[in-house]
Amino acid sequence: MAAPQIPNLNTLRRGPRRSRPDDGPYRPQGKDCIVQSTDNDASVSRLSAVELGYLDDAYVEALTPSESATRRFPIINRGTYVRATAIDQLVARFLGPYSADNQKKQIISLGAGSDTRIFRLLSSRSTPDFVYHEIDFSVNTAAKVRAIRSSSLLQQVLGINASENKVTVSKSADALHSPSYHLHPLDLRVLSPNTSSPETILPGVETELPTLLISECCLIYLSPTEADNVVAFFTKHISNHTSQQPTTPLGLIFYEPIRPNDPFGRTMVSNLAARGIHLQTLHRYASLEAQRARFREQGLASGQAAADIDFIWERWVGEEEKERVAGLEMLDEMEEWRLLARHYCVAWGWRDRDDEPVFGGWKNLEAQEGSE
Ligand SMILES: C[S@@+](CC[C@H](N)C(=O)[O-])C[C@H]1O[C@@H](n2cnc3c(N)ncnc32)[C@H](O)[C@@H]1O
């Protein structure tokens, strides 16, 4: 059978959109520019899903650089919806219900780009019981600092104008530090277990706090060794358990493409390669089982789980919500949707303490079994 027609996943867009007057088009420079510009694809997809009613996100517009067009095709919008809501669900279960005497927790988002999650979380919890770190290349963190500086909405959520909050921006205007939010300009490829501790290289990171690491389509762009080194940097320094010190709970969430070896997967890989995008860890972590094994090897011994986007749509999204989403746009390419959705997955793994588990809420999330 001939390979199905596969849309070029991140570039599908329809119709014009207004431009944002305060910001020119995003033109990254240098050899990493293609990887850096994938953030633009992700944020345009998020904006498309928000404008059509899939997602509710008041911050996406302020963080999306102006573009000539935004509207993605229905299968892409549904994929963006499932990806965002699945990760939101895992994050919510890590943080737990808000209460004034919650133990403080920490979230570190790798390759966060223009992601809006920090703003959505800050606006949903009255006194933040977490500290949130975002890491990306300097060109992308500088763009985020500019977006924050030109949006009173974003500033308000960060409490920039409130006298009790201290917010500092680096001289080079690519780093931002506030009590609950830190934006770090850093090439992740410098991190390895031998790199000096997070406190030095990532100001504000606390190695004793229960920590969640998120890689939403980020580590896939690193070589397998570099990607493993980034994770080892955090598992060594955050969950540094010794006989004197109990394990610090640490969880990881990956959102990544999988199954590159079937006809759809091969076409997906070659479409991306035509744009100069090479998903370097894709063949190493090609299946759900490979993702789970990755967590085991990384010492996340308390639990490892994974599910593709098709499964998450079917099993995590309630019937009423499915109907609402299905009513937003006509999606007649069901076969294409399922193929696409089977080629992206969310994987999550964690190590916890036995006495007061932090990741207990992840245990009863339905995941897929099997080796494929
Ligand atoms: C596809 S975008 C995803 C952005 C965001 N996580 C989201 O899902 O909306 C990938 C991001 O990873 C970042 N990234 C890739 N390699 C990186 C590296 N070596 N160091 C820092 N950031 C990196 C890119 O700059 C880009 O912002």
Side-chain angles (χ1 to χ4, degrees):
M1 190 181 88
Q5 284 298 309
I6 296 159
N8 197 338
L9 306 181
N10 276 315
T11 50
L12 281 174
R13 53 190 71 137
R14 299 191 300 198
R17 72 161 287 217
R18 61 198 168 281
S19 62
R20 211 178 60 196
D22 55 342
D23 201 38
Y26 175 51
R27 290 193 196 88
Q29 307 283 317
K31 68 181 164 57
D32 293 320
C33 68
I34 293 172
V35 169
Q36 289 154 6
S37 68
T38 60
D39 173 51
N40 200 26
D41 294 331
S43 67
V44 168
S45 291
R46 196 156 37 243
L47 183 60
S48 171
V50 170
E51 287 185 336
L52 289 159
Y54 286 85
L55 297 169
D56 184 16
D57 184 336
Y59 309 104
V60 66
E61 184 154 7
L63 284 162
T64 306
S66 44
E67 273 261 307
S68 54
T70 59
R71 190 165 171 169
R72 302 294 205 212
F73 278 94
I75 54 170
I76 304 296
N77 290 322
R78 186 178 287 189
T80 304
Y81 164 83
V82 179
R83 155 191 185 168
T85 52
I87 297 174
D88 283 351
Q89 167 90 249
L90 284 155
V91 171
R93 285 172 182 239
F94 164 66
L95 289 177
Y98 177 74
S99 138
D101 35 60
N102 274 351
Q103 187 200 358
K104 194 161 121 193
K105 293 177 183 159
Q106 170 169 263
I107 299 178
I108 302 175
S109 175
L110 310 174
S114 308
D115 189 26
T116 59
R117 187 166 285 108
I118 171 58
F119 298 96
R120 292 187 284 114
L121 284 175
L122 279 177
S123 60
S124 69
R125 297 172 94 88
S126 51
T127 306
D129 49 351
F130 62 87
V131 58
Y132 201 104
H133 297 265
E134 294 190 330
I135 305 174
D136 210 301
F137 286 110
S138 165
V139 68
N140 282 358
T141 56
K144 202 156 192 174
V145 169
R146 279 199 304 280
I148 291 169
R149 280 181 152 164
S150 56
S151 162
S152 52
L153 176 66
L154 300 181
Q155 289 171 25
Q156 195 191 335
V157 177
L158 293 181
I160 284 186
N161 296 322
S163 53
E164 72 271 19
N165 275 326
K166 290 193 182 73
V167 177
T168 56
V169 171
S170 63
K171 258 197 185 145
S172 46
D174 57 359
L176 183 148
H177 298 285
S178 79
S180 303
Y181 175 51
H182 299 263
L183 189 49
H184 305 274
L186 182 78
D187 182 341
L188 289 163
R189 292 170 294 192
V190 304
L191 299 179
S192 81
N194 303 323
T195 320
S196 56
S197 72
E199 291 105 321
T200 324
I201 204 161
L202 297 166
V205 166
E206 293 176 56
T207 54
E208 307 302 316
L209 293 182
T211 298
L212 172 61
L213 278 186
I214 302 175
S215 167
E216 190 173 351
C217 230
C218 169
L219 291 183
I220 190 99
Y221 297 109
L222 276 61
S223 73
T225 305
E226 289 163 345
D228 291 348
N229 275 341
V230 172
V231 175
F233 169 79
F234 288 104
T235 53
K236 176 179 170 191
H237 292 295
I238 301 284
S239 273
N240 192 4
H241 57 127
T242 62
S243 48
Q244 287 85 40
Q245 204 183 356
T247 298
T248 308
L250 175 66
L252 252 82
I253 301 172
F254 288 120
Y255 168 77
E256 300 200 333
I258 46 166
R259 302 180 175 132
N261 297 318
D262 62 16
F264 187 99
R266 283 197 290 275
T267 309
M268 175 172 84
V269 169
S270 74
N271 277 349
L272 290 167
R275 296 176 59 206
I277 296 176
H278 300 284
L279 304 175
Q280 298 192 58
T281 63
L282 177 56
H283 286 89
R284 170 76 66 90
Y285 303 117
S287 64
L288 298 177
E289 174 48 25
Q291 294 282 357
R292 289 190 293 262
R294 175 186 200 175
F295 291 131
R296 282 195 293 274
E297 281 153 24
Q298 285 156 342
L300 298 166
S302 303
Q304 315 85 27
D308 64 35
I309 291 295
D310 180 39
F311 181 93
I312 294 177
W313 164 257
E314 291 297 336
R315 310 290 268 267
W316 291 23
V317 182
E319 287 312 313
E320 215 176 291
E321 177 65 353
K322 273 206 196 94
E323 258 176 51
R324 182 192 75 81
V325 170
L328 295 171
E329 285 185 290
M330 178 82 96
L331 194 152
D332 43 17
E333 321 101 337
M334 284 313 291
E335 178 64 9
E336 222 173 300
W337 155 250
R338 292 208 68 203
L339 269 172
L340 175 65
R342 281 177 43 75
H343 285 80
Y344 283 82
C345 80
V346 178
W348 58 104
W350 67 102
R351 64 203 273 172
D352 219 340
R353 17 173 216 241
D354 296 332
D355 48 346
E356 273 180 275
V358 168
F359 290 96
W362 283 13
K363 278 193 185 149
N364 48 10
L365 272 169
E366 205 180 350
Q368 270 167 291
E369 306 294 332
S371 60
E372 201 214 340

